[in-house]
Amino acid sequence: MLLIIRIISTFGGKFLIMKTKLLGLILGIPLFSWAQSPIQTFYPTDNSTYKMVQSALGIDQSATGANANWNFSDLLQIGTSIDVNQAPTPNQTTNYPNTTQVTKNTSTIGLLISDSYMFSKNNNGEISITGLTNPTITMNFTTNNAIVGTFPMDFGYSNSDNLAGNYVYGTYNGTLSGSINTSVDAYGTLNLNIDDVESTYTVTRLKSVQNISLNYSIFPNVGTIVQTVYSYYEAGNASPIFRSTETVVNVPLQGIVNQTTVVLEKFEGVLSDANFDKNTALTYPNPMHDRLYLNVLEEVQKITITDVRGRIVKSISKPEQMVDVSTLENGLYLLEIQSAQGIQIQKILKN
C-alpha cells in the first residue's frame, strides 16, 4: 500500500487514507539515481502482514535525497496488522461511486481489533481515492476524487492536489476539504532494530503530507487533521517494508488540541491464501494447558507466540509437534506458524 493515513484514539479508531498524484519527473535528477528502485504499484500484496512497533525515543526520518541512510533502533513490537484487497460490494459501489477496489486493514493491539477501509478507482493504471471509513468516522470524496497517479513511480516525482467531500463522525457531519503534497523524495539504506533483531534494506521512499479541514453546519474549519506518511519500498515488493504515520488533530469542539499519534509498521510476509481463509484449527487443544499440539500437515519452519501486549514470549525454529507451554501465564496469545505454504495465524488461550 502506498500511503496509509490513520487516526487512532482521537476519533476512537483508525481509518485509512491513501492518495497522491504524481505527474512529472523533476529536472536535474543526479546521474546516480539509477540505483533507486521504482515504486511499482499502489496496492499491497494481498494478505500482507505487519508488525506494529513503537519507539520510546522516536525515529529520525529527516534524511532525504539520493543515498540517504535511516537508522530506526529501540523498536518494540506492540501488535500486528494485515492488508487485504477486495472487490467492492454493490452497496459500497453505491455509496462510493466508481470504486473498483477496496483495501481493508485490520490491526490487533492486545485485545483491541480495528478495521479500516480505503475505496479507490483504478482507470487503466491511474489510481484515485473515492472514500475512507472505519467504525467511527466516514470520509467520502465524492466532490473531488484525488488522482494518485500512474505507476511505476520514480525518485524525483512530486505533486500537490486538492480533495473535497463530506464526513460523518459520531453525531457530527459536514463537508471537508484539503490538500495533499506527495513526493518520492529519497532512496537509500534503511536499518531497523526490532526487539534487538537487526535488519537492513535498500529502499525507495514515498512521502505524503496531508492537510484536511472539517466544516460543520454553517461553521467552517471546526477541526483540522495534518498527517505525514512515510512509506519505504524494497525492490520487488509491492508492500512497503516499513511505513510510519504521524497524525496531528485539532478539534476544539471536542477539546482536542494538537493531539499527536504515531503508527509504525514493519512488513513481515504474506499469509498463504489457501490457509488464510480456512477455519481448520492449527493447534489443539484450545484452550491449552501445559502442552500445545500443532495440527499442520507441512513441515513447520518456525512458530512464534505473542502476548496481548505484542511481546514475543516463545519462538521455536523447526518445532516438534508438541510444544511445551507450561511456563506461559494464563491468558490470550497470538500464534504465528511459518511453513513453506506461507504464514498462518491463530489466537490461542491458556487456562
Side-chain angles (χ1 to χ4, degrees):
M1 208 163 6
L2 182 61
L3 304 174
I4 291 195
I5 299 239
R6 306 172 190 270
I7 294 182
I8 298 181
S9 72
T10 297
F11 290 117
K14 172 180 74 175
F15 71 92
L16 186 142
I17 290 179
M18 300 176 136
K19 70 183 272 225
T20 175
K21 184 178 179 184
L22 305 176
L23 297 178
L25 183 63
I26 295 178
L27 297 177
I29 294 178
L31 294 177
F32 49 82
S33 65
W34 59 269
Q36 68 91 30
S37 297
I39 299 172
Q40 295 290 341
T41 179
F42 178 72
Y43 298 106
T45 301
D46 203 24
N47 294 333
S48 290
T49 62
Y50 304 83
K51 285 183 178 179
M52 299 186 73
V53 299
Q54 65 181 6
S55 170
L57 301 176
I59 59 176
D60 182 1
Q61 302 186 86
S62 59
T64 61
N67 300 320
N69 191 69
W70 302 278
N71 295 288
F72 304 157
S73 59
D74 86 309
L75 300 175
L76 299 175
Q77 183 177 2
I78 59 172
T80 61
S81 66
I82 180 171
D83 290 333
V84 178
N85 298 310
Q86 304 171 333
T89 65
N91 185 58
Q92 290 170 335
T93 302
T94 299
N95 292 333
Y96 303 93
N98 301 317
T99 295
T100 61
Q101 181 89 341
V102 180
T103 303
K104 176 183 178 182
N105 179 274
T106 300
S107 68
T108 302
I109 301 178
L111 299 178
L112 177 63
I113 300 176
S114 178
D115 291 334
S116 58
Y117 298 83
M118 181 196 71
F119 304 93
S120 61
K121 174 185 176 182
N122 186 346
N123 182 19
N124 295 321
E126 184 182 72
I127 309 297
S128 58
I129 304 303
T130 58
L132 309 115
T133 187
N134 74 358
T136 303
I137 188 167
T138 296
M139 304 181 75
N140 195 328
F141 300 102
T142 55
T143 304
N144 185 1
N145 293 165
I147 297 174
V148 173
T150 303
F151 290 79
M153 298 176 176
D154 294 291
F155 170 64
Y157 279 88
S158 66
N159 192 72
S160 297
D161 194 30
N162 296 321
L163 61 89
N166 55 73
Y167 72 93
V168 177
Y169 165 51
T171 59
Y172 294 92
N173 64 82
T175 61
L176 59 83
S177 60
S179 64
I180 181 171
N181 297 283
T182 307
S183 61
V184 183
D185 72 330
Y187 67 86
T189 303
L190 174 63
N191 302 293
L192 301 175
N193 186 317
I194 301 176
D195 294 323
D196 294 325
V197 177
E198 296 182 353
S199 55
T200 300
Y201 305 91
T202 300
V203 296
T204 301
R205 185 174 78 175
L206 178 66
K207 176 183 179 181
S208 175
V209 180
Q210 302 164 68
N211 293 273
I212 299 173
S213 176
L214 307 176
N215 308 305
Y216 176 66
S217 184
I218 62 173
F219 305 103
N221 195 23
V222 296
T224 60
I225 303 168
V226 179
Q227 195 156 54
T228 303
V229 182
Y230 291 98
S231 298
Y232 298 79
Y233 289 86
E234 187 181 32
N237 195 344
S239 305
I241 197 68
F242 188 85
R243 60 191 180 196
S244 75
T245 304
E246 180 185 84
T247 306
V248 181
V249 179
N250 282 281
V251 185
L253 290 177
Q254 296 291 306
I256 299 171
V257 179
N258 291 330
Q259 183 166 330
T260 301
T261 302
V262 177
V263 177
L264 306 175
E265 293 169 292
K266 161 65 171 60
F267 174 77
E268 282 297 289
V270 178
L271 290 174
S272 168
D273 290 337
N275 294 316
F276 183 66
D277 293 327
K278 288 185 178 180
N279 294 318
T280 303
L282 304 177
T283 63
Y284 64 91
N286 192 7
M288 61 185 178
H289 299 289
D290 292 337
R291 296 179 179 181
L292 181 69
Y293 294 87
L294 302 180
N295 187 30
V296 182
L297 296 177
E298 61 270 9
E299 181 181 358
V300 176
Q301 299 169 350
K302 183 180 179 181
I303 66 167
T304 303
I305 300 177
T306 306
D307 67 13
V308 295
R309 296 179 60 186
R311 299 176 301 183
I312 296 176
V313 295
K314 186 176 284 289
S315 180
I316 305 174
S317 297
K318 296 185 177 180
E320 302 293 335
Q321 183 185 17
M322 189 278 288
V323 179
D324 184 358
V325 292
S326 60
T327 59
L328 299 184
E329 297 179 355
N330 290 348
L332 184 66
Y333 296 89
L334 197 66
L335 171 68
E336 179 182 288
I337 300 177
Q338 298 182 30
S339 70
Q341 300 301 314
I343 298 175
Q344 302 173 79
I345 297 176
Q346 178 180 304
K347 289 183 179 179
I348 53 177
L349 179 67
K350 183 180 180 184
N351 59 19

